[in-house]
Amino acid sequence: MRKGIKTYAAIPGRRCALALPLLLLLLGGCSYRELPDLPGDAYAVHFSTPGMLGATTSQADTRALIPENMAAGTTVRVLAYKRLGASPDITVDTYAGENTYVVDAAGELSPCVTDADGVLTAGTPGELYLREDTYDFYAVTPALAVDRASGTVVRVPHRTDYATGRTEAVVVQKPATLGTDKQVVTLATLERRCARVSFAVTRKFGNVTRVQVQQVQLTRMADAPLQGVPAGDLAPAANGTTLTLTAAAFTPGANPWETSAGVNVLPKTEEAYALEMQVRFNEETDVTELTAPVGAMMFQKGYHYAFNLVLKGNTIGLTLTVAPWGETSWNDDTGQHQQTEFLVATWVVTDWSDNAGGFVFNNMSYAEWTALSWSDDAGN
């Protein structure tokens, strides 16, 4: 039995419920104190979710965005609270129970068992049973443990697609037919609380026939884990962590000179950082090291920061495109968000042959780069 999670076996009727404590004592099973009383007016509640969203480009943008479907295998923790005041406040409201769920192939939520990191584990899933009343539901994905003893907080590491949402003032009622009908609560759309960073390499000239990224490092990232209250933002503080992507993280593209990778990162405060890359070009055995210092900027929740390394003859350019996470097209003609692109750095190759069959790579000089002016639309 998972401590702190209010789940019950499906035992119909008050008589069976009253006999359950004695049965457990006789069988020597789990402690009676750990099993909440099952009142006769407690009923199973099921959930569905419409998906999750990134961020809009500004506070004034109220355009309805299309939620992204949650992938099969994604876990969700749902907590139920009874409100004490006029507004929901998870830190003071009355806890009523919780359960964990997994998204199935049809996109529905099914009860499951997870560990504290929200990873599926073996075990028999239970149900969330609630009395007839009005509740606020808090959803957390992945199904990370919620520490109610230390302020009702979630501790989130890097590389996590962490999203939360609150569904307010839901009335739980007795089903019309016990044992067959079930109440299904549609959860509010979950909001992403982390950022997405991706890397891609491609060419504009034929003198590069193959690219292998050995490693990418992001310096001065937020120290992990970050702590937040369900349905609230994560609060970044110090930026002292280096995040590394190895060669195994990169996926080859359609051509041997194309490759890409992505990672979810915790939001960070406005501070300069560096992007450090180790790359092998063509059939070279030596690794080329590229370091790009980036001016002070934030990594803001719900945004996608896409770095693109473009090979152009005797130059290499690094660009950064910033847009709401989940948006795939941005243009003024359709009224959708317009992507914001910046040139971060340019390197000049001193011994790089322009002939498609020739490649000599001995030295590289670094061109001066202009610090970026980060606008609000870029997540600053």
Side-chain angles (χ1 to χ4, degrees), residues 112-128:
C112 69
V113 180
T114 71
D115 61 16
D117 297 322
V119 178
L120 285 171
T121 59
T124 302
E127 299 279 8
L128 175 61

Side-chain angles (χ1 to χ4, degrees), residues 35-298:
L35 184 65
D37 181 34
L38 177 58
D41 59 348
Y43 309 106
V45 180
H46 299 253
F47 299 94
S48 64
T49 175
M52 51 188 179
L53 287 173
T56 56
T57 54
S58 69
Q59 296 295 328
D61 188 352
T62 58
R63 183 177 64 88
L65 300 178
I66 299 175
E68 179 181 337
N69 292 331
M70 301 176 72
T74 302
T75 62
V76 181
R77 184 179 300 273
V78 180
L79 303 96
Y81 278 79
K82 289 199 296 183
R83 197 182 304 180
L84 293 181
S87 301
D89 185 348
I90 196 172
T91 62
V92 298
D93 290 341
T94 302
Y95 171 81
E98 65 187 82
N99 202 15
T100 51
Y101 303 86
V102 61
V103 180
D104 61 23
E108 299 297 328
L109 291 179
S110 301
C112 69
V113 180
T114 71
D115 61 16
D117 297 322
V119 178
L120 285 171
T121 59
T124 302
E127 299 279 8
L128 175 61
Y129 282 80
L130 298 172
R131 293 184 175 93
E132 288 185 298
D133 212 322
T134 300
Y135 298 89
D136 296 317
F137 293 101
Y138 294 81
V140 174
T141 184
L144 301 173
V146 177
D147 184 357
R148 295 187 294 110
S150 302
T152 317
V153 297
V154 183
R155 296 176 178 88
V156 185
H158 281 291
R159 307 177 193 272
T160 304
D161 191 1
Y162 174 67
T164 69
R166 181 175 61 218
T167 308
E168 299 182 12
V170 177
V171 177
V172 172
Q173 297 176 319
K174 177 181 178 180
T177 306
L178 289 176
T180 56
D181 292 349
K182 62 181 181 181
Q183 180 169 351
V184 179
V185 175
T186 299
L187 297 173
T189 301
L190 306 184
E191 180 182 350
R192 282 188 161 112
R193 308 291 178 173
C194 291
R196 177 74 174 171
V197 178
S198 65
F199 309 89
V201 181
T202 190
R203 72 177 190 184
K204 296 294 184 181
F205 202 84
N207 59 342
V208 175
T209 59
R210 187 181 182 187
V211 174
Q212 300 176 74
V213 178
Q214 302 300 299
Q215 178 178 281
V216 171
Q217 287 189 323
L218 285 165
T219 67
R220 307 299 298 170
M221 295 295 102
D223 290 344
L226 288 185
Q227 182 171 294
V229 177
D233 289 337
L234 300 172
N239 299 322
T241 295
T242 296
L243 202 61
T244 301
L245 276 72
T246 63
F250 282 80
T251 301
N255 300 297
W257 57 84
E258 296 174 333
T259 186
S260 62
V263 62
N264 302 327
V265 301
L266 297 171
K268 80 176 189 72
T269 56
E270 186 173 2
E271 186 176 345
Y273 65 101
L275 176 65
E276 301 174 354
M277 296 163 283
Q278 296 180 1
V279 188
R280 286 180 179 170
F281 295 99
N282 291 351
E283 303 304 322
E284 291 292 315
T285 58
D286 293 336
V287 172
T288 299
E289 295 187 357
L290 304 174
T291 300
V294 184
M297 60 174 290
M298 299 170 65

